Amino acid sequence: MSVKAPVLNTLTNTQQPRRGVKSPCTRSQTRRAQESSPQATTSANAEPVARFEELPDELLLHMLSLAACDETVPGYDGEFQCPTFVAGRDALVLGPTSRAARAWQTVHSVSRRWSSLANQVEPWQQLRSMDDWSNNDLNWAVLRKEPDDPGHLVWAASSTSREEGKKDKWHSVRAPGGDVCVVLVRECNEEGVSYDVVRWMGCLQAMHHPCIASLKLVRAFNTGKEGEHTAVHAGMDFVDTSVQKIVYGTLERTSHTVIGRPLPPVMLRSFLYQLLSALAWSHARGVAHGNLAPYRVLAKTLDAAKDQYLLKLGDFGFSPPHAALCNEELPIRPSRASPELQADNKHKHYGPANDLWALGTVFAEMACGNRDPQVYMMIQDLDMTPEGQLESSLHMLCDDGRNLLRKMLKKEWKERITAADALCHPYFDGLHDQCEVVARYLPQSMPAPTRFLDLRVPQQWTPGLDFLAKQPHLNARMWTILYDWLAVVSFKFKFVSRSLQVAGDFMMRYMSQVQVERKELQLVGIGALCLACKHEEVMIPNMNDFIFICDSAYTLPQLMVMEVKILTTLQLQLHVPTAHDMLLPYLVELGEAPEDPSQEPYSPLRAWCECLLLLGQAAYPVVMYDPAVLARCVATLGGLLSRGVHSLVTRPDGSVHEGHRSPQLHERVCWLKPGADWECLRKLIDAVEQAAKDQREMLVKCHHKFLDLCKLEGRQGLLEKYRKGDRKQTHLTPQEVRPLLEDHLPIDMCKSHGVFQPRASKGAVDDEGAATEEETAETKPKKMAYLRGVNPKDGADVYSIVGVTCALGKQLLKEHDRFKAGTAPTSPVGA
């Protein structure tokens, strides 16, 4: 997906100048460059090309102002009268490595004239005034503290950090543009940037919704002589009250004995609609709140006399990470915990359904005006509560309101209503005509939220961009070595697969913007993995553990500084889809993964597909492709191994049925698209084969189970192990696959590359999948990456799933080339 080039790239040179050569900025240098170029002799009548250096000061100043705004500098409307923080824009990231600061430095390095004009650009003046680089702090003289403003008290009361003993400071400040925000000051000390801050900022950056308390400003920095401590400034959306105070009259958390006021019917419907809209928006982007309560629902007073409030869902610091799906404990308030999260529940399930349960309890609390113990006990088993009892306990709710409450508090989480569906419930009929707040901020014509898999990061790395082009000290082999090492580290620490994928995305985007020395490459990799773990993992290693696995090649302050550099350079864009996420829908369609996360163990095919992703991303020619392209390639290979054919085929009338068996592999798959997909598949197969030849540690140490050699046929044969279901009419048969292996993986070639095992003492198994007699636990040799070998028991050929996958991929590419050339074979493959 292409991304529009920033304005600054257009103003300066479109191509990066060579090292050591000064950019041609003066008129004489520009003229000489034009005279020496071939285009200068094209035509005498051609119109002269205007150069930016020759523009009048007024016009150039205007273009620099546009460039400043394009680089996410404070707000600007052409008259310099816009507030500092503009609604619907990403948070302003400060710091010397932020995009705004790097853009300002680039303009100043062009020429003295540009430097002088840049100092007059009001957005950059505002930026420089807010960020005190000399003292490595915010300029509190410009961001004036407002001690009488209630915003900082509201935020402090809602924060979960005090439950963990964090000594946060909250300040209401007035920005240069006149608007107010609340700034969190967090001293993180030796833990680096706190995990809850990383998760909070990563989830909220670029998520713009009127009922979600957005980030306005973020600044992460290192303190101390060597940067041995880390601190964070995070500017939050302005609020002046919360649902807790609206109901109970106090910001403090109350017990069930405190009686508040029940909300009026229209106000109750308005509050619930606003919260459901916020949850629907965040759930669409793959973010669950995970800690919903009245004191975490903030509000901005619009008209207190008319009870008009705009709610703001705040504190995403405990949003369940991806690793929470692996049955890990999370600190969720017991009174709001849904049944699937109770301590006595063996298989816990974290996700959006938890938010709907918590919101249901808040809904009942707002309707009652208190935490009535009788209502609370009834809610825990609402499915068994008679309608008469529910009506007597919640008489202030209409029939539709009680019906919606029942759907939100279903004991079985799979049957619970979603936030998007709840917005269409009859309980909200006519609300836009009755409530001015909902009609103004949440119109019925509001666009749908961007789905998680469609998210892209603007103005950073884009698929196809050679992110090592700006790295004169690095090459593609170094990327492979680094990624391979990080895969081993992730395996040793038992990180979820997505953590390594996210870390790879961080590295690509960082290296596409910042030049990295060779000696710092490993530090960039471990810094990206550390940051990814804080966003994705539940149990996060200590930062000293990351230093230890680097064999103390770096110090803890160096790692902490690198973490801040990566975070700032990426503009806090941490919550992004990876190839791992894009592969999951295809695995669901193949039946190799459930539609919802569960505690079911991974099938062999799903585990192998995820291994293929890692092997592909470790290869530089493959990792430059769009993750969606790589996911389709892996899914296609997995589909061939699993079913031999894509299982679902659409008829002309739109119905779906089982696919028919096709003689060619090319006709058995339908996920690959013309163009880049086939080139990516070609490079992926080469990368997998090369990993076996190089005895890559990622394959040998972490995924050695895929190197087991066994026969194709038999009850525990290789094809049987990776196929799905009993669909003999579509499955690949040993009679089809064996000729492909002889064609694409002949014994002589495998021997020459060291991927052929001639003896039994190195992992060969019989046709039942059991270890041979010659191999015992004591004499088991070191695992090697073999694509094929010989079974000593009967001399039969044995293969690994790596070899079979490479052969199928090569045959698929061969048939595709023939198909394009119009010479596709007419007989079945392998016949």
Side-chain angles (χ1 to χ4, degrees):
M1 179 179 179
S2 60
V3 178
K4 180 178 73 70
V7 174
L8 187 61
N9 289 352
T10 307
L11 281 175
T12 56
N13 295 324
T14 56
Q15 296 181 350
Q16 292 293 326
R18 292 174 296 174
R19 293 176 57 197
V21 180
K22 186 177 180 180
S23 299
C25 302
T26 63
R27 295 188 179 183
S28 59
Q29 288 174 319
T30 303
R31 190 179 303 112
R32 284 196 296 269
Q34 290 177 338
E35 293 173 353
S36 61
S37 64
Q39 291 82 0
T41 60
T42 54
S43 175
N45 297 326
E47 287 289 335
V49 179
R51 307 295 297 182
F52 289 118
E53 294 78 9
E54 299 175 354
L55 296 176
D57 287 357
E58 295 79 5
L59 184 55
L60 185 56
L61 181 63
H62 177 72
M63 299 183 72
L64 289 175
S65 299
L66 293 177
C69 298
D70 187 67
E71 298 296 334
T72 316
V73 181
Y76 164 67
D77 64 352
E79 298 294 336
F80 305 111
Q81 295 177 353
C82 189
T84 302
F85 306 114
V86 183
R89 293 195 64 173
D90 293 354
L92 169 63
V93 181
L94 301 181
T97 60
S98 65
R99 186 168 69 236
R102 286 184 283 116
W104 185 84
Q105 294 167 350
T106 300
V107 170
H108 272 255
S109 66
V110 173
S111 67
R112 293 182 179 178
R113 179 183 176 224
W114 280 49
S115 178
S116 175
L117 291 174
N119 290 331
Q120 303 176 35
V121 175
E122 183 127 352
W124 269 321
Q125 288 181 356
Q126 201 174 100
L127 168 72
R128 295 289 291 159
S129 66
M130 293 167 59
D131 194 357
D132 188 357
W133 290 358
S134 59
N135 296 322
N136 198 17
D137 196 359
L138 287 176
N139 191 342
W140 295 105
V142 174
L143 291 170
R144 301 188 306 275
K145 296 181 181 179
E146 301 282 341
D148 298 331
D149 186 89
H152 65 285
L153 299 176
V154 177
W155 272 105
S158 72
S159 175
T160 55
S161 59
R162 65 180 184 177
E163 299 171 1
E164 293 192 331
K166 304 289 185 182
K167 297 181 180 179
D168 293 344
K169 297 179 181 179
W170 296 86
H171 304 287
S172 297
V173 300
R174 189 169 297 278
D179 46 338
V180 179
C181 75
V182 180
V183 175
L184 163 67
V185 181
R186 166 72 65 86
E187 298 290 339
C188 303
N189 298 323
E190 295 184 356
E191 64 177 331
V193 184
S194 300
Y195 78 94
D196 58 322
V197 174
V198 170
R199 201 165 295 153
W200 193 347
M201 294 186 300
C203 290
L204 288 189
Q205 180 70 304
M207 184 159 64
H208 312 298
H209 189 275
C211 294
I212 296 178
S214 60
L215 285 173
K216 298 299 184 183
L217 175 147
V218 177
R219 188 180 190 278
F221 58 100
N222 300 100
T223 61
K225 294 182 179 179
E226 298 181 357
E228 60 268 21
H229 301 293
T230 304
V232 176
H233 293 138
M236 306 297 179
D237 211 350
F238 168 75
V239 293
D240 56 7
T241 186
S242 66
V243 169
Q244 179 79 10
K245 187 173 183 179
I246 294 172
V247 174
Y248 296 104
T250 177
L251 292 174
E252 296 301 322
R253 307 173 190 184
T254 56
S255 66
H256 68 273
T257 59
V258 177
I259 305 299
R261 65 152 179 162
L263 299 185
V266 175
M267 187 179 180
L268 180 63
R269 293 164 64 205
S270 170
F271 278 21
L272 183 60
Y273 189 88
Q274 292 182 57
L275 291 176
L276 284 171
S277 180
L279 289 179
W281 195 274
S282 63
H283 292 170
R285 297 173 66 91
V287 176
H289 187 276
N291 211 0
L292 195 63
Y295 48 84
R296 293 195 182 93
V297 181
L298 315 180
K300 182 185 295 184
T301 304
L302 303 179
D303 191 336
K306 296 181 180 180
D307 275 337
Q308 292 185 354
Y309 300 92
L310 178 64
L311 301 190
K312 299 278 186 178
L313 187 59
D315 198 346
F316 280 74
F318 283 133
S319 174
H322 192 272
L325 305 179
C326 301
N327 198 19
E328 297 286 353
E329 291 290 345
L330 279 181
I332 295 181
R333 188 175 177 85
S335 61
R336 309 289 173 183
S338 49
E340 65 271 13
L341 294 180
Q342 298 294 342
D344 57 350
N345 195 323
K346 182 178 180 180
H347 297 294
K348 296 178 173 59
H349 176 87
Y350 296 93
N354 311 148
D355 289 342
L356 270 297
W357 177 279
L359 182 56
T361 65
V362 174
F363 179 30
E365 187 172 340
M366 292 188 299
C368 295
N370 62 85
R371 297 178 62 194
D372 187 345
Q374 180 180 354
V375 175
Y376 173 74
M377 295 301 296
M378 180 181 61
I379 282 176
Q380 302 306 308
D381 197 6
L382 200 58
D383 292 343
M384 304 300 294
T385 303
E387 183 62 25
Q389 181 182 351
L390 181 62
E391 183 177 359
S392 62
S393 299
L394 295 173
H395 58 84
M396 68 291 298
L397 288 180
C398 62
D399 293 343
D400 287 333
R402 291 190 297 273
N403 178 267
L404 178 57
L405 181 65
R406 284 185 180 275
K407 292 185 175 181
M408 296 172 66
L409 295 176
K410 285 286 185 181
K411 197 167 186 178
E412 176 58 44
W413 66 269
K414 295 180 181 180
E415 300 176 2
R416 215 167 288 157
I417 193 172
T418 64
D421 291 340
L423 290 173
C424 303
H425 195 274
Y427 180 59
F428 301 113
D429 288 349
L431 180 61
H432 286 80
D433 298 328
Q434 302 168 12
C435 181
E436 182 181 346
V437 177
V438 173
R440 177 181 175 186
Y441 291 97
L442 301 173
Q444 293 177 321
S445 59
M446 191 172 181
T450 304
R451 297 293 175 179
F452 178 56
L453 294 182
D454 296 330
L455 294 179
R456 294 296 183 271
V457 179
Q459 297 185 342
Q460 294 183 24
W461 179 79
T462 184
L465 177 64
D466 185 359
F467 59 88
L468 291 184
K470 296 183 179 180
Q471 306 293 338
H473 309 291
L474 307 180
N475 56 44
R477 178 169 175 77
M478 294 178 186
W479 168 266
T480 299
I481 294 173
L482 174 64
Y483 202 93
D484 189 66
W485 177 73
L486 290 176
V488 176
V489 171
S490 300
F491 179 79
K492 296 295 185 182
F493 278 110
K494 298 182 179 180
F495 295 153
V496 294
S497 302
R498 193 172 189 276
S499 294
L500 179 58
Q501 301 263 330
V502 171
D505 178 84
F506 290 172
M507 290 189 293
M508 287 191 293
R509 287 193 278 143
Y510 180 79
M511 287 193 285
S512 65
Q513 301 175 75
V514 179
Q515 194 172 102
V516 178
E517 297 290 338
R518 182 176 301 185
K519 62 181 180 181
E520 292 185 344
L521 181 59
Q522 188 182 22
L523 181 61
V524 172
I526 204 65
L529 184 60
C530 178
L531 197 59
C533 289
K534 292 180 179 180
H535 194 270
E536 299 295 331
E537 299 288 338
V538 174
M539 303 302 295
I540 305 166
N542 188 282
M543 295 195 74
N544 284 305
D545 295 334
F546 288 107
I547 295 298
F548 177 77
I549 60 178
C550 292
D551 199 19
S552 299
Y554 309 100
T555 63
L556 180 60
Q558 285 179 308
L559 177 57
M560 296 172 70
V561 170
M562 178 55 66
E563 182 186 49
V564 169
K565 283 184 178 179
I566 296 175
L567 184 69
T568 306
T569 302
L570 301 185
Q571 295 292 113
L572 278 73
Q573 301 279 4
L574 308 181
H575 185 67
V576 293
T578 64
H580 178 272
D581 303 303
M582 298 173 182
L583 175 65
L584 186 58
Y586 298 110
L587 294 177
V588 170
E589 193 169 347
L590 286 173
E592 298 291 341
E595 294 186 13
D596 49 73
S598 67
Q599 306 307 317
E600 298 178 9
Y602 276 22
S603 67
L605 181 69
R606 182 178 181 182
W608 171 233
C609 286
E610 292 193 358
C611 180
L612 278 176
L613 282 181
L614 297 182
L615 292 173
Q617 291 181 321
Y620 186 69
V622 179
V623 77
M624 287 193 296
Y625 283 91
D626 191 317
V629 174
L630 178 57
R632 288 196 293 269
C633 293
V634 172
T636 297
L637 295 174
L640 284 174
L641 290 169
S642 174
R643 300 186 177 182
V645 64
H646 192 287
S647 63
L648 301 179
V649 177
T650 304
R651 293 191 181 100
D653 60 0
S655 60
V656 177
H657 68 106
E658 284 291 330
H660 296 288
R661 185 180 182 86
S662 301
Q664 283 81 35
L665 296 184
H666 175 263
E667 299 177 10
R668 299 191 187 198
V669 292
C670 64
W671 281 320
L672 293 179
K673 300 180 180 179
D677 289 35
W678 292 95
E679 291 302 319
C680 180
L681 178 63
R682 192 181 309 276
K683 294 176 181 178
L684 173 62
I685 296 301
D686 292 341
V688 173
E689 193 170 3
Q690 190 62 44
K693 295 176 183 177
D694 295 342
Q695 301 296 318
R696 195 80 49 76
E697 288 190 348
M698 179 196 304
L699 192 58
V700 175
K701 288 186 176 181
C702 307
H703 302 286
H704 54 81
K705 59 184 177 181
F706 300 119
L707 302 175
D708 293 336
L709 297 173
C710 60
K711 298 179 181 179
L712 296 178
E713 64 277 353
R715 184 171 56 86
Q716 296 293 332
L718 190 62
L719 294 181
E720 185 68 27
K721 182 179 180 182
Y722 287 92
R723 68 177 36 158
K724 181 69 176 180
D726 185 17
R727 295 179 174 84
K728 295 182 179 180
Q729 72 277 11
T730 59
H731 281 157
L732 293 174
T733 63
Q735 291 76 17
E736 290 178 286
V737 176
R738 189 174 288 105
L740 304 184
L741 291 165
E742 295 300 330
D743 184 19
H744 299 291
L745 293 177
I747 293 179
D748 292 341
M749 185 196 74
C750 292
K751 287 182 177 179
S752 63
H753 293 303
V755 291
F756 179 80
Q757 181 197 42
R759 296 178 298 163
S761 59
K762 295 186 179 180
V765 295
D766 59 19
D767 57 354
E768 298 297 323
T772 56
E773 296 180 358
E774 290 80 357
E775 179 184 329
T776 63
E778 292 77 10
T779 62
K780 188 176 182 179
K782 178 182 177 182
K783 204 71 177 179
M784 299 289 289
Y786 295 120
L787 302 184
R788 62 180 298 178
V790 177
N791 192 326
K793 189 174 182 180
D794 54 10
D797 291 329
V798 288
Y799 307 93
S800 69
I801 191 62
V802 183
V804 173
T805 303
C806 289
L808 289 177
K810 289 183 176 181
Q811 181 63 25
L812 188 61
L813 290 167
K814 182 178 179 181
E815 292 183 2
H816 174 67
D817 293 339
R818 288 179 177 176
F819 182 81
K820 288 180 62 177
T823 59
T826 57
S827 58
V829 174

